[in-house]
Amino acid sequence: MIYVFCRAVVRGLFAVLYRFESVGVHNIPSEGGVLICANHTSLRDPISVGIHVKRQVKFMAKAELFKIPGFGWLVTQLGAFPVKRGGVSKDSIKNALKILRGGEVMGIFPEGTRNSDAEAAKRGAASFALRSDATVIPAAIVGGYKLFRKTKIIYGAPIDMTPYKDSKSPETLDEVTALIMSRIHEMQATGEPTLN
């Protein structure tokens, strides 16, 4: 209930402040594990990824946030789980795979940091996708959160992971990462959802 309430409140705020809208939400399956992969330019991005999605979207968050009295409880209620600074721990990986294999939705930023450089993309999203068999949805946040000017999120069609299922080699992870990022960048450029 806390998640639903907070989502509704923030959705209203974003609609006013950023004229925020979503495109292609229908591409997100109504059931089963889903991994939403988005570009990352702002601390507001995790909010943007989830506020128009009917299902709860879970994210990794810095472990330090969970130590703040009251706030740690809140972010846990909102679906976040801790990741240690300096890299993803085994516990974080287990939590992520448990979420996806359990038929839930998780958001992730393949770039790892708040930038738009495809070369900075990491293998984490690809690894989670291949190890969990979750549906992979590319998402592009466009607009830059300028006050009273339109910002939107675009959800593309699911990416077919079938050709990569039999291999989890570094080369395959790189190829899948490049595919995910190319779909994201295509939507950033066109402003329209990608097709499968």
Side-chain angles (χ1 to χ4, degrees):
M1 290 300 294
I2 292 175
Y3 181 85
V4 173
F5 173 76
C6 290
R7 180 178 59 190
V9 170
V10 176
R11 183 187 297 167
L13 287 173
F14 271 39
V16 173
L17 296 176
Y18 310 119
R19 296 174 58 201
F20 193 85
E21 66 176 34
S22 62
V23 179
V25 180
H26 65 276
N27 284 316
I28 301 173
S30 58
E31 58 184 24
V34 176
L35 184 64
I36 301 176
C37 302
N39 58 308
H40 197 12
T41 61
S42 167
L43 291 172
R44 289 158 286 199
D45 292 340
I47 298 171
S48 297
V49 169
I51 60 174
H52 284 183
V53 178
K54 292 182 180 179
R55 302 170 65 187
Q56 183 174 12
V57 182
K58 299 186 175 183
F59 280 92
M60 295 181 182
K62 293 179 181 179
E64 292 81 3
L65 296 177
F66 294 84
K67 298 177 182 178
I68 302 173
F71 187 74
W73 175 84
L74 178 61
V75 294
T76 300
Q77 296 301 307
L78 295 178
F81 60 98
V83 57
K84 293 179 181 178
R85 182 175 301 202
V88 180
S89 67
K90 289 182 179 180
D91 286 342
S92 299
I93 293 171
K94 287 180 181 178
N95 285 337
L97 292 174
K98 183 178 179 180
I99 287 168
L100 295 170
R101 290 170 178 167
E104 298 182 85
V105 183
M106 190 177 97
I108 193 170
F109 303 105
E111 294 162 315
T113 55
R114 296 189 304 276
N115 60 65
S116 58
D117 182 2
E119 297 303 319
K122 299 181 179 180
R123 296 172 176 167
S127 178
F128 289 143
L130 294 177
R131 293 174 65 181
S132 69
D133 288 328
T135 300
V136 178
I137 301 291
I141 301 168
V142 181
Y145 302 102
K146 296 177 181 178
L147 284 177
F148 311 120
R149 297 180 64 180
K150 184 175 290 186
T151 296
K152 66 179 178 179
I153 183 166
I154 308 161
Y155 301 97
I159 298 176
D160 183 9
M161 293 285 116
T162 306
Y164 310 99
K165 290 296 184 184
D166 296 329
S167 174
K168 295 176 180 65
S169 68
E171 292 76 18
T172 298
L173 293 178
D174 287 341
E175 191 173 345
V176 171
T177 300
L179 174 60
I180 293 171
M181 294 308 304
S182 70
R183 295 289 179 88
I184 293 172
H185 289 172
E186 180 182 340
M187 292 188 293
Q188 284 179 293
T190 65
E192 297 294 334
T194 52
L195 302 175
N196 200 351

